Amino acid sequence: MAEQVSSWIENFAYVPNKSELSIQTTNGDTYTYADVPFTVADSMADAESVGSFHNTHLRGKYTCAKS
């Protein structure tokens, strides 16, 4: 889903049937956010900066699991 360049986010993907947004970082960690509406994931795909979008719209707003 992501084509934007970020110093922290390598890639991200949305799983609609689970409403999960997974973010793979440049150091290999994966963060999975639960109960993320499609509109939020879609907005991230269109964001000029996915890192800034993450900090503003995801961090602290959705339950997150690191793997």
Side-chain angles (χ1 to χ4, degrees):
M1 193 181 221
E3 293 294 329
Q4 299 88 342
V5 176
S6 172
S7 61
W8 182 69
I9 296 174
E10 181 75 27
N11 201 354
F12 65 92
Y14 184 70
V15 181
N17 62 333
K18 293 183 177 184
S19 297
E20 290 181 346
L21 180 65
S22 293
I23 296 174
Q24 182 182 11
T25 66
T26 55
N27 67 0
D29 292 332
T30 300
Y31 295 85
T32 301
Y33 290 86
D35 300 320
V36 178
F38 172 78
T39 55
V40 174
D42 194 44
S43 294
M44 186 168 180
D46 292 335
E48 186 173 317
S49 168
V50 292
S52 292
F53 186 93
H54 168 268
N55 292 336
T56 303
H57 300 284
L58 296 172
R59 181 177 281 164
K61 294 183 175 30
Y62 297 95
T63 302
C64 179
K66 179 182 174 184
S67 56

